Amino acid sequence: GGDLDNRPAQQGFRRESEEAKSATEASGSDGGIKMKKELGLMDGVAIIVGVIVDAGIFVSPKGVLLYSGSIGQAIIVWILSGVLSMVGALCYAELGTMIPKSGGDYAYIGEAFGPLPAFLYLWVALLILVPAGNAITAITFAQYLLQPLWPTCEPPYESVRLLAAVITCLLTAINCRNVKWVARVTETFTTMKVLALLVITGAGAYHLLSGNTELLESPFANSKVQPGFIAVAFYNGLFSYSGWNYLNFVTEELKDPYRNLPRAICISMPLVTIIYVITNIAYFAVLPPDVMLSSQAVAVTFAEKMLSFMAWTMPLFVACSTFGSLNGAIFASSRLFFVGARNGHLPAALSLININCLTPIPSLLFLCALTLLLLFIRDVFAIINYVSYVEILFIFISVAGLLRLRQKAPDTYRPIKVSLIAPIVFLLTAGFLVIFSVFESPMEVGIGTVIILLGIPVYYVTIGKPWSWLTEKSQSFNTLCCKLFLCMPNSEKLD
């Protein structure tokens, strides 16, 4: 790259080079810029717990009950879903310590199966999964924060969307400014949501100790034992645990990732499983199944019955939960686009790092713009349904990549090496769920598959064999971004 000291990029942004990865925290021997390793063990735990424990456990933990048919079977599904998620997370711990790059699934699929499958994951994440998920979380936050102001009706559509946009921009600004600020926000709101769940479990325990055990006396009555219902119950359970792979998106910013990544997983996953199980037992002890299934917000209904005049606090707890989840999701998912751009799968401008804050500001602003765009689509909730199976499909591919890399690179250093039983069990279960979803929801699966396949021509047009005019436009766009952000892209060749 040459001497960078005289370049104008010193005043703005620089592109992270591959050589910079082995350099010191902020700069390498060639002057390349990299993000600081500012996340410790507890920060990692807070990110995993904060992303997994979102509004779902407060609002709609009823999918598992609906398809289980009984309280006892639902509890078993919650426990086994947590155990299976733990198995998947341990597989990701091996992948994350063997391939200590940010980007999570994108990085692992690329190493195991090549650039095209990795691009297809990036394509679906870019188009729908990440921005739509963030938009839905922001809307949920706004709805519950505004609900006390409109106690007898739904808050106005415009007010909800405007507040969702404001909070998205605020959290993006925090993420742009300082990683430590992001960690503190995540830890604070994770603590608040755990406290809210402890209030629920405490109220449920008080209810049970007062002798009100009638709802739990026949826990397996009306159980649905048909394979189809069991599969959908597990699908809902596993979806509630989704987010356990988000720490792998930010591996490059984790202190001592070889130790802290697996430790964070081993602390957070059992913690989340225990929280989910005891919270559901509290719900089941207080609310009859038909009330839970008809409730639009189970935690609010629970609070109205158990917390009396303090019931108004539960919508605020739900809002805090979604705030923390959105913060963690913005932090982690922006690194996916950053790494994709660094590998040449997105415009190079998205791989720039601010020299003062050492954060990927262009990637964060890009994600913010996509989220704001989807905020103003009325049926954004319907969009995510069409590709809900895609997430578990790509997790399946990532774990299959672990077996592929065992064969492809058997001598690669693996700080953690899980038993082969772990990925095989996970793949069998995930494969069953993916196959079953084809028969259960053929329309949604078909549309999701079409979206994935549309990425193939996009790959070959823009990356595989880019047209000259497209290459020229891309370079012009990168140059424009460099000027706007006072930056200059590094000339080193990327993988």
Side-chain angles (χ1 to χ4, degrees), residues 167-407:
I167 202 63
T168 299
C169 294
L170 173 63
L171 287 175
T172 299
I174 293 173
N175 274 266
C176 288
R177 184 65 185 90
N178 194 301
V179 171
K180 286 185 178 180
W181 291 4
V182 176
R184 297 295 84 77
V185 170
T186 300
E187 291 169 2
T188 300
F189 283 90
T190 297
T191 301
M192 291 180 67
K193 71 178 72 176
V194 171
L195 286 175
L197 293 174
L198 289 177
V199 169
I200 292 174
T201 56
Y206 173 79
H207 188 73
L208 285 173
L209 293 174
S210 299
N212 302 296
T213 60
E214 60 276 5
L215 294 178
L216 301 180
E217 289 177 354
S218 301
F220 290 95
N222 303 315
S223 294
K224 298 178 180 178
V225 296
Q226 298 92 328
F229 286 114
I230 292 174
V232 178
F234 270 102
Y235 192 89
N236 279 274
L238 290 171
F239 188 77
S240 297
Y241 284 94
S242 62
W244 46 261
N245 56 338
Y246 265 54
L247 188 60
N248 294 66
F249 281 53
V250 296
T251 305
E252 294 175 23
E253 295 168 82
L254 191 64
K255 297 175 183 176
D256 195 3
Y258 296 128
R259 296 179 59 182
N260 286 334
L261 178 61
R263 285 183 176 182
I265 289 171
C266 290
I267 293 172
S268 58
M269 291 309 301
L271 178 62
V272 171
T273 302
I274 292 170
I275 289 173
Y276 273 12
V277 170
I278 62 176
T279 300
N280 275 279
I281 290 174
Y283 287 150
F284 294 145
V286 174
L287 302 175
D290 57 330
V291 174
M292 279 191 66
L293 294 176
S294 62
S295 174
Q296 294 300 311
V298 175
V300 175
T301 304
F302 179 94
E304 289 171 350
K305 184 170 182 179
M306 293 299 299
L307 301 185
S308 185
F309 67 94
M310 293 298 292
W312 63 271
T313 61
M314 196 52 65
L316 297 182
F317 278 130
V318 177
C320 290
S321 175
T322 52
F323 186 91
S325 297
L326 181 60
N327 179 63
I330 289 173
F331 174 69
S333 55
S334 64
R335 272 58 178 176
L336 171 63
F337 301 144
F338 164 79
V339 175
R342 191 174 66 188
N343 290 342
H345 286 172
L346 288 174
L350 299 181
S351 67
L352 299 172
I353 299 174
N354 182 274
I355 194 171
N356 296 315
C357 303
L358 297 177
T359 55
I361 290 181
S363 179
L364 285 160
L365 295 179
F366 176 67
L367 175 59
C368 180
L370 290 176
T371 304
L372 292 177
L373 180 66
L374 290 182
L375 277 177
F376 297 97
I377 298 177
R378 276 190 176 269
D379 55 352
V380 63
F381 287 83
I383 293 176
I384 201 73
N385 292 334
Y386 289 113
V387 289
S388 58
Y389 96 102
V390 173
E391 184 172 11
I392 195 167
L393 172 63
F394 278 106
I395 290 175
F396 176 91
I397 295 172
S398 295
V399 176
L402 184 150
L403 299 180
R404 168 70 174 148
L405 290 170
R406 290 274 185 99
Q407 178 189 37

Side-chain angles (χ1 to χ4, degrees), residues 11-13 349 352 354 361-362 365 480-487:
Q11 302 302 317
F13 298 79
L352 299 172
N354 182 274
I361 290 181
L365 295 179
L480 176 62
C481 288
C482 288
K483 290 180 179 179
L484 288 174
F485 295 111
L486 297 176
C487 65

Side-chain angles (χ1 to χ4, degrees), residues 15 18 106 115 119 122 337-348 351 459 462-464 466 474 494-495:
R15 187 160 174 195
E18 289 298 307
Y106 169 75
F119 175 81
L122 185 67
F337 301 144
F338 164 79
V339 175
R342 191 174 66 188
N343 290 342
H345 286 172
L346 288 174
S351 67
Y459 174 82
T462 60
I463 296 165
S474 177
L494 300 176
D495 291 339

